[in-house]
């Protein structure tokens, strides 16, 4: 290049520096800086004659080279050989500004967390936490280097992500990208914890933990059921929920209570099939001291008293003894209860939600359930569809289960493969949603590092590749032998995933370590 061309290039350096957000320089063939300017166009005289190794490398190779800056950590630069000279540019100033901004943000975390009422964090481009401070200004070292899926999504999309906090149920977390290199997030977990503590003090017997947002399903039957449940929540009338086992009757009962005006009052549940009639009676109505053998000296309040002003959920009401049904009806009609062995009547204001998996109307016809009690309970009736009738909801339920189980298992499963989903859609689900959730949980236990649930992660009844075994093999092996072989393969895979750590494998398989050792020995698994 001629001197005139070099002078022209030198005059062009301030423009290059401004565009790249850093320094622009020209060096000789040995990498010695002739002139270096910043984005303001000012020459950095202290860098004159300083050797730039990357420029020397570019000159020797005769090709453009990209690398890291020698002047600022994290800054990038490129060097382009031009005859006897090398043209260089970097984003040094931009990198320094980003670094300073990140440091300032980290120093501000105690203030941000205090104002937000929860944890505040800074994470890198991969969503990994590099700083974490709680609302009291304490540094949370345990959570450092943890990768948050939401934070990772935030950095990949370069858009804010608002959703549920992974730390505290009910808390909201916000993740915001600041640059492509880092972002920050915060949640309101302290506020939520204070509110939960206050509610728990008010509702000492309140165990309703589900809301309508927890009910997954957009099929017409599910929409109708949720619509009726919403109507029930705005009423004080009795509700009767009918559905097969595993359809979510308890979920609906909780949601109705939590959406009602009684949400801040007690929610008390009893399973009528879990206790014998004598015990249910004392649990329902309470008793005075010495009312019967084994009674507490000071007596005990019954569930009706505990649920007063709130909601009483009677699950499996069809299993209640007929004689006890009469006593229950009398309490509901008179709106007062007397303890066993006592004479004092206690006024009641209790909303009843009952559930059953048996058709009470048919039981009434057969004389197995009191008709007057049935009419008293069946003011608002909600019929929950079995899963086999709403298979269009299965993908939604699976997606929601994967999201929740990712947090529980600490995994990043992205979804389910089409072949596995097809196998689940072709099944009739006698255990309904509960059986489906158990199936997905099982897959999480053996999925290893796979990103998608596959057929091989499902139980044997779904895994067609295992069921459709070669005819010759089926002839040679009995059913017990086929199941044993499959069990062996599952245990071997889990052991491989956990690098042979037995207690981890046992936990994933949901068996005791002793049982695992026994199966390893019985199945001839190499230790």
């Amino acid at each position: 290049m001629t001197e005139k061309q070099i002078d022209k290039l030198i005059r062009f350096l301030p423009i290059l520096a401004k565009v790249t957000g850093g320094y622009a320089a020209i060096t000789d063939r040995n990498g010695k800086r002739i002139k270096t300017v910043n984005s303001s166009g000012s020459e950095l005289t202290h860098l004159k004659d300083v050797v730039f190794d990357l420029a020397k490398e570019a000159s020797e190779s005769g090709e453009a080279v990209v690398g890291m800056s020698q002047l600022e950590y994290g800054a990038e630069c490129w060097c382009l050989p031009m005859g006897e000279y090398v043209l260089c540019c970097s984003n040094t100033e931009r990198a320094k500004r980003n670094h300073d901004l990140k440091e300032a943000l980290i120093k501000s975390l105690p203030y941000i967390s205090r104002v937000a009422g929860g944890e505040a964090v800074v994470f890198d481009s991969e969503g990994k936490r590099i700083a974490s401070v709680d609302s009291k200004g304490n540094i949370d070292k345990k959570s450092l280097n943890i990768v948050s899926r939401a934070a990772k999504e935030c950095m990949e999309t370069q858009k804010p992500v608002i959703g549920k906090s992974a730390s505290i149920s009910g808390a909201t977390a916000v993740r915001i990208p600041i640059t492509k290199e880092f972002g920050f997030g915060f949640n309101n977990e302290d506020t939520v914890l204070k509110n939960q503590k206050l509610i728990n003090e008010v509702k000492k017997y309140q165990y309703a933990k589900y809301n309508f947002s927890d009910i997954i399903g957009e099929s017409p039957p599910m929409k109708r059921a949720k619509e009726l449940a919403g109507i029930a929540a705005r009423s004080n009338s009795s509700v009767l929920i009918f559905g097969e086992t595993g359809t979510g009757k308890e979920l609906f009962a909780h949601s109705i209570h939590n959406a009602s005006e009684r949400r801040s009052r007690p929610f008390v549940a009893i399973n009528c099939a879990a206790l014998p009639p004598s015990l249910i009676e004392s649990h329902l109505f309470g008793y005075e001291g010495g009312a019967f053998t084994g009674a507490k000296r000071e007596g005990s309040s019954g569930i009706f008293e505990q649920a007063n002003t709130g909601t009483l959920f009677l699950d499996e009401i069809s299993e209640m003894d007929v004689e006890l049904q009469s006593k229950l009806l009398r309490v509901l009609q008179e709106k007062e209860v007397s303890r066993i062995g006592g004479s004092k009547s206690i006024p009641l204001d209790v909303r009843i939600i009952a559930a059953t998996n048996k058709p009470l109307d048919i039981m009434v016809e057969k004389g197995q359930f009191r008709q007057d009690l049935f009419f008293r309970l069946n003011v608002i009736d909600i019929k929950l569809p079995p899963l086999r009738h709403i298979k269009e909801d299965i993908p939604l339920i699976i997606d929601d289960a994967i999201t929740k189980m990712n947090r529980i298992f600490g995994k990043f499963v992205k979804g389910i493969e089409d072949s596995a989903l097809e196998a689940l859609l072709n099944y009739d689900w006698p255990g309904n949603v509960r059986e489906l959730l158990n199936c997905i949980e099982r897959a999480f236990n053996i999925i290893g590092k796979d990103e998608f649930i596959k057929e091989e992660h499902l139980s044997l009844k779904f895994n067609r590749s295992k069921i459709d075994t070669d005819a010759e093999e089926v002839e040679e092996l009995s059913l017990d032998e086929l199941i044993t072989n499959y069990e062996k393969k599952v245990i071997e895979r889990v052991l491989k995933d956990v690098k042979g750590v037995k207690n981890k494998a046992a936990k994933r398989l949901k068996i005791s370590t002793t049982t695992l050792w026994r199966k390893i020995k019985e199945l001839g698994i190499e230790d």
Side-chain angles (χ1 to χ4, degrees):
M1 296 181 68
T2 64
E3 281 191 29
K4 186 176 181 180
Q5 289 174 320
I6 292 299
D7 289 340
K8 187 176 180 180
L9 190 59
I10 289 175
R11 289 197 300 272
F12 189 58
L13 290 180
I15 298 175
L16 286 175
K18 186 174 183 179
V19 170
T20 57
Y23 299 163
I26 189 165
T27 75
D28 63 18
R29 64 187 304 171
N30 295 316
K32 185 183 295 185
R33 293 177 184 263
I34 297 172
K35 187 172 185 178
T36 305
V37 301
N38 60 22
S39 60
S40 301
S42 302
E43 182 178 2
L44 306 177
T45 55
H46 66 283
L47 294 177
K48 187 176 177 62
D49 295 331
V50 174
V51 174
F52 189 5
D53 293 336
L54 201 66
K56 184 178 180 181
E57 179 184 337
S59 177
E60 290 174 351
S61 67
E63 296 179 353
V65 176
V66 177
M68 304 306 294
S69 169
Q70 293 176 289
L71 303 176
E72 179 68 31
Y73 177 78
E76 297 176 312
C77 56
W78 54 260
C79 299
L80 178 66
M82 305 182 71
E84 297 294 316
Y85 302 93
V86 181
L87 179 64
C88 309
C89 280
S90 72
N91 62 349
T92 303
E93 292 179 349
R94 184 181 302 164
K96 188 176 186 305
R97 284 196 299 271
N98 287 346
H99 176 75
D100 292 344
L101 176 60
K102 182 172 68 175
E103 291 301 311
L105 187 58
I106 290 175
K107 290 180 181 178
S108 301
L109 289 184
Y111 307 103
I112 296 171
S113 61
R114 190 181 306 164
V115 172
E119 183 186 35
V121 302
V122 172
F123 44 82
D124 63 15
S125 59
E126 297 297 320
K128 182 172 67 177
R129 292 186 178 190
I130 55 178
S132 178
V133 178
D134 64 23
S135 60
K136 296 179 181 178
N138 300 317
I139 297 174
D140 185 5
K141 294 182 179 180
K142 292 182 180 179
S143 70
L144 296 182
N145 298 319
I146 292 177
V147 176
S148 162
R149 187 170 187 172
K152 188 175 183 179
E153 178 187 345
C154 162
M155 296 307 294
E156 288 175 348
T157 61
Q158 283 294 291
K159 293 180 180 179
V161 174
I162 302 174
K164 296 179 181 178
S165 169
S167 306
I168 300 295
S169 176
T172 300
V174 180
R175 292 92 174 178
I176 304 172
I178 303 300
T179 70
K180 290 185 178 181
E181 284 73 41
F182 69 93
F184 90 102
F186 57 88
N187 61 37
N188 64 339
E189 62 181 38
D190 281 8
T191 304
V192 171
L193 285 173
K194 288 177 183 177
N195 289 341
Q196 288 177 350
K197 185 177 181 180
L198 178 61
I199 291 173
N200 289 337
E201 284 297 315
V202 175
K203 306 184 289 183
K204 290 186 177 180
Y205 298 100
Q206 219 283 39
Y207 299 106
K209 58 182 178 180
Y210 301 113
N211 296 285
F212 284 123
S213 60
D214 296 307
I215 301 175
I216 309 302
E218 295 298 328
S219 61
M222 279 302 291
K223 284 184 176 180
R224 178 58 179 162
K226 286 192 278 188
E227 181 183 336
L228 285 172
I231 293 172
R234 297 189 291 273
S235 167
N236 277 318
S237 299
S238 298
V239 180
L240 181 60
I241 304 173
F242 170 77
E244 296 179 7
T245 300
T247 51
K249 297 186 291 295
E250 184 178 359
L251 189 65
F252 269 80
H254 284 224
S255 301
I256 290 170
H257 173 82
N258 279 334
S260 73
E261 292 183 353
R262 296 174 183 259
R263 68 178 68 89
S264 61
R265 300 294 181 175
F267 177 90
V268 183
I270 183 171
N271 189 319
C272 300
L275 297 171
S278 58
L279 289 181
I280 289 182
E281 185 174 1
S282 61
H283 273 69
L284 278 175
F285 309 126
Y287 57 85
E288 296 293 348
F292 51 85
T293 303
K296 293 180 181 178
R297 181 181 301 175
E298 67 277 13
S300 175
S301 62
I303 285 175
F304 268 106
E305 288 182 63
Q306 296 170 13
N308 206 4
T309 72
T311 301
L312 175 59
F313 176 45
L314 300 172
D315 198 8
E316 304 295 350
I317 187 71
S318 59
E319 305 304 311
M320 182 176 283
D321 180 76
V322 175
E323 185 179 343
L324 189 56
Q325 291 177 27
S326 301
K327 297 180 180 179
L328 172 62
L329 177 63
R330 186 167 60 252
V331 171
L332 296 181
Q333 288 175 334
E334 298 175 3
K335 295 185 178 180
E336 60 182 25
V337 66
S338 298
R339 293 185 181 183
I340 298 173
S343 57
K344 179 182 176 182
S345 295
I346 302 168
L348 291 177
D349 173 21
V350 178
R351 200 273 184 84
I352 302 295
I353 300 178
T356 177
N357 61 0
K358 295 180 179 179
L360 292 187
D361 51 348
I362 295 177
M363 292 183 68
V364 168
E365 293 177 3
K366 294 181 178 180
Q368 297 171 342
F369 198 86
R370 288 187 63 107
Q371 185 180 54
D372 42 9
L373 178 59
F374 173 65
F375 289 146
R376 173 68 66 174
L377 297 174
N378 193 34
V379 179
I380 301 177
D381 62 317
I382 302 172
K383 291 181 173 60
L384 304 186
L387 189 57
R388 61 183 175 276
H389 291 167
I390 52 169
K391 288 191 175 182
E392 60 265 47
D393 286 336
I394 288 178
L396 298 177
I397 297 170
I398 292 173
D399 286 344
D400 181 70
I402 288 174
T403 299
K404 291 176 180 176
M405 290 184 193
N406 272 330
R407 291 198 295 268
I408 295 171
F409 285 84
K411 298 194 175 190
F412 295 97
V413 177
K414 294 180 178 179
I416 183 169
E417 288 191 349
D418 290 343
S419 59
L421 178 58
E422 183 180 359
L424 298 182
L425 289 171
N426 289 330
Y427 181 62
D428 276 343
W429 298 106
N432 295 294
V433 177
R434 187 179 298 148
E435 184 183 5
L436 173 59
L437 295 180
N438 288 344
C439 176
I440 301 302
E441 183 176 352
R442 179 194 184 279
F444 264 77
N445 276 287
I446 64 173
I447 195 170
K449 296 181 180 179
D450 289 338
E451 294 185 338
F452 290 88
I453 295 174
K454 303 175 182 178
E455 271 192 277
E456 64 190 72
H457 302 136
L458 305 177
S459 61
L460 188 59
K461 60 188 172 185
F462 299 111
N463 198 334
R464 301 309 309 175
S465 62
K466 297 291 186 299
I467 295 175
D468 299 333
T469 313
D470 219 59
E472 293 181 3
E473 185 180 350
V474 173
E475 289 176 5
E476 293 176 2
L477 298 177
S478 67
L479 180 59
D480 287 341
E481 289 172 323
L482 287 171
I483 294 173
T484 299
N485 287 347
Y486 183 68
E487 184 179 24
K488 180 179 180 181
K489 289 177 182 178
V490 170
I491 294 175
E492 286 176 336
R493 176 171 185 143
V494 171
L495 285 169
K496 182 179 179 182
D497 287 343
V498 299
K499 296 181 171 56
V501 181
K502 304 299 185 297
N503 59 344
K504 288 185 178 180
K507 187 177 180 181
R508 183 176 292 187
L509 292 165
K510 293 193 174 181
I511 59 177
S512 67
T513 308
T514 303
T515 301
L516 177 61
W517 277 108
R518 177 173 54 79
K519 286 185 176 291
I520 289 174
K521 185 176 180 181
E522 290 176 351
L523 298 171
I525 297 173
E526 293 184 6
D527 189 6

